[in-house]
Amino acid sequence: MTTSTTEKRSRSRSGAPSAPTLRGTPTSRGTGQPRPGTSTRVRDLLLTRPARAAGSLLGPLTASIGAGVRRILAPVTDVVSPLGWLLLAVVVVLGTLGLAFGWDEARIAAVLGMLLLALSVAFILGRSAYAVELDLARTRVAVGDRAIGGVTVSNASDRTLLPASLELPVGSATALFHLPRLRPDQQHEDLFSIPTQRRAVIVVGPVRSVRQDPLGLLRRQMTWTDPTDLYVHPQTTPLVGSAAGFIKDLEGLPTKELSSADVSFHALRDYVPGDDRRHIHWKTTARTNTLMVRQFEETRRSHLAVALSTNTAEYDGEPGFELAVSVASSIGLQAIREQRNLSVLTQAGPLRSDTGRNLLDSATRIEGRVLRTTAVDLARTTADAVPNASVVFLIVGASVTPSQLRSSAASIPPGIRCLAVRCIDGTQASRASIGDLTVLTLGNLGDLALVLRKAAA
């Protein structure tokens, strides 16, 4: 009786028997059931982590295995031409169709294709022992000059070599030479010329021998030389005769700034505490009984800055831009001949101008493109990069307006002579002034010496 009463009281307090809960499993609030989706997220997390770990370990291993397989198969896969791969695919398709559907024609065609591939192998077998020499008479020429070279091939083996073909890449083109049958130690030489109508750096070579079948299914080539760079420099004109020493003329009068230490003696003055005692003039001091020091006239070494705009939007076409490159190169070469300090700048940065050869090599690599920066921005960059310049040349195109030229000249610090050269292909040479800025218009490279002499007058 007591037991039954206790059970009834416990049931009346809880209202229902308490349900057991799962340990370690989150439950929804107010219910005894697990949250929906929780077990799925836990399972995905447990599966994702091992997969990521396996991927991080197997990824580099798979890549290295693939690179090794490609390196091993490269001697075979590189020999097969695109036409050979197409024939191989056709053979596989026809063979599969012939075996699957019993088509005799497809099987015969597949067999003939395999015979063609087998016969092509005989044309590329064998070893060649050539001694090849690629010789360019000059590796640096100007636009329009002849660039001549030669390829000398000799048989370096003790057996006769069959006829073969040599390929010589020249820029984007390829020259083909036919080698005759060569006996041991026999030589064969071929000469070639390279067109130089445009300023460029042309990669010549490498020379490679080629063996292939008549149908071009298989192709085997071997490289025998290293590539050589041929620099086609821009055209330049010598600034000699009436234009010689034009930089000195453009600089005008020497500076009148005085200095306490230089090489050009100017006068004597009273000693001021802090002056260098090495500059005391003792004879005058003894005569006047007053300390006197030497005063010098500050000298300034000529420094020429050439700012060449490479923004093709400022030119009337490619001839105008090439004329600008030639003008900058000609002025720079003359400055180097006169042993002046030289700085040549473009929107892409400064050019190497320590020697004439380096200047022309750098000018050959100049590439014009449409840029956001204008000639005004280039003038500001030049003023910041070469603050001690004595003469600044701004070489621009036909689309640069007078207001832009005025703004460019305003960017150059006072005391520096500034000249602008507008390059317009085919126009008549002229000289004008915009304030203190001298503007030279040039249409032909041959007139450069004349207009420079007029600007210095």
Side-chain angles (χ1 to χ4, degrees):
M1 182 69 180
T2 304
T3 303
S4 61
T5 304
T6 305
E7 290 179 356
K8 287 181 181 181
R9 290 178 179 176
S10 62
R11 288 180 181 179
S12 61
R13 291 175 181 176
S14 60
S18 59
T21 58
L22 298 176
R23 293 184 178 180
T25 302
T27 58
S28 299
R29 184 176 301 175
T31 64
Q33 303 298 326
R35 295 180 182 178
T38 302
S39 59
T40 304
R41 288 196 299 269
V42 173
R43 184 174 62 253
D44 293 341
L45 183 62
L46 294 176
L47 293 177
T48 303
R49 288 181 177 177
R52 290 179 179 176
S56 61
L57 294 176
L58 296 179
L61 180 61
T62 305
S64 61
I65 293 176
V69 171
R70 286 192 298 270
R71 186 170 55 253
I72 295 174
L73 297 180
V76 178
T77 57
D78 294 345
V79 168
V80 184
S81 66
L83 182 60
W85 287 113
L86 178 60
L87 178 61
L88 184 60
V90 171
V91 167
V92 172
V93 172
L94 291 178
T96 303
L97 293 177
L99 294 176
F101 299 99
W103 292 349
D104 294 337
E105 296 82 355
R107 284 182 290 184
I108 293 174
V111 172
L112 292 178
M114 291 299 297
L115 289 177
L116 285 177
L117 290 174
L119 292 175
S120 300
V121 175
F123 288 90
I124 64 171
L125 293 178
R127 299 181 61 184
S128 299
Y130 294 115
V132 183
E133 180 181 359
L134 174 63
D135 181 28
L136 292 178
R138 291 186 298 169
T139 57
R140 286 166 174 82
V141 297
V143 173
D145 294 346
R146 295 186 63 186
I148 300 176
V151 177
T152 304
V153 183
S154 59
N155 185 358
S157 64
D158 54 355
R159 57 185 179 85
T160 302
L161 297 180
L162 297 178
S165 298
L166 285 182
E167 287 185 349
L168 176 63
V170 181
S172 58
T174 302
L176 182 63
F177 303 96
H178 295 285
L179 287 180
R181 182 181 179 184
L182 295 179
R183 296 188 297 272
D185 298 330
Q186 184 180 359
Q187 289 187 351
H188 176 76
E189 183 178 6
D190 278 312
L191 299 178
F192 61 90
S193 62
I194 302 174
T196 58
Q197 282 82 14
R198 299 185 60 184
R199 174 181 58 90
V201 180
I202 302 175
V203 180
V204 182
V207 180
R208 54 179 182 252
S209 61
V210 179
R211 285 188 177 185
Q212 65 178 10
D213 61 281
L215 297 179
L217 301 178
L218 303 181
R219 174 187 174 90
R220 181 187 175 192
Q221 62 184 22
M222 296 184 64
T223 302
W224 299 99
T225 64
D226 296 326
T228 304
D229 291 336
L230 173 64
Y231 287 84
V232 183
H233 289 161
Q235 286 184 333
T236 57
T237 181
L239 302 178
V240 295
S242 61
F246 75 95
I247 300 177
K248 182 179 180 181
D249 296 334
L250 290 173
E251 289 175 344
L253 297 175
T255 176
K256 294 300 181 182
E257 298 179 3
L258 301 180
S259 173
S260 60
D262 214 306
V263 296
S264 180
F265 174 75
H266 175 64
L268 296 174
R269 63 173 175 81
D270 293 337
Y271 175 83
V272 177
D275 289 341
D276 193 345
R277 295 183 179 181
R278 293 177 300 175
H279 297 149
I280 295 177
H281 196 266
W282 294 107
K283 291 183 179 181
T284 305
T285 300
R287 187 173 63 251
T288 61
N289 200 23
T290 304
L291 284 176
M292 303 293 292
V293 296
R294 297 181 182 89
Q295 193 174 35
F296 299 90
E297 189 178 53
E298 184 177 349
T299 58
R300 180 177 60 181
R301 189 177 181 183
S302 299
H303 194 146
L304 181 68
V306 178
L308 171 63
S309 176
T310 57
N311 186 1
T312 54
E314 297 177 349
Y315 295 88
D316 56 352
E318 183 179 355
F321 178 71
E322 293 299 325
L323 176 61
V325 176
S326 297
V327 169
S329 302
S330 300
I331 296 175
L333 286 179
Q334 183 63 26
I336 293 174
R337 294 190 188 102
E338 295 183 11
Q339 298 181 354
R340 312 281 180 168
N341 290 334
L342 175 65
S343 297
V344 183
L345 296 94
T346 66
Q347 280 90 339
L351 305 183
R352 290 190 60 186
S353 56
D354 49 346
T355 63
R357 177 175 176 175
N358 290 336
L359 173 62
L360 292 178
D361 287 351
S362 301
T364 304
R365 296 184 179 275
I366 293 176
E367 295 182 359
R369 56 175 60 91
V370 178
L371 303 173
R372 293 183 179 179
T373 55
T374 62
V376 179
D377 301 321
L378 179 60
R380 294 170 182 168
T381 304
T382 304
D384 296 336
V386 195
N388 59 339
S390 54
V391 180
V392 174
F393 279 92
L394 300 176
I395 302 177
V396 297
S399 300
V400 178
T401 62
S403 61
Q404 289 178 320
L405 291 176
R406 190 180 299 108
S407 300
S408 300
S411 303
I412 305 300
I416 299 178
R417 181 73 184 276
C418 184
L419 297 95
V421 182
R422 299 175 70 241
C423 298
I424 308 174
D425 183 58
T427 192
Q428 188 175 0
S430 61
R431 177 182 181 274
S433 297
I434 302 178
D436 295 335
L437 176 65
T438 302
V439 181
L440 307 176
T441 301
L442 190 67
N444 187 4
L445 185 61
D447 298 333
L448 179 60
L450 178 61
V451 297
L452 287 178
R453 197 63 209 171
K454 288 182 178 180

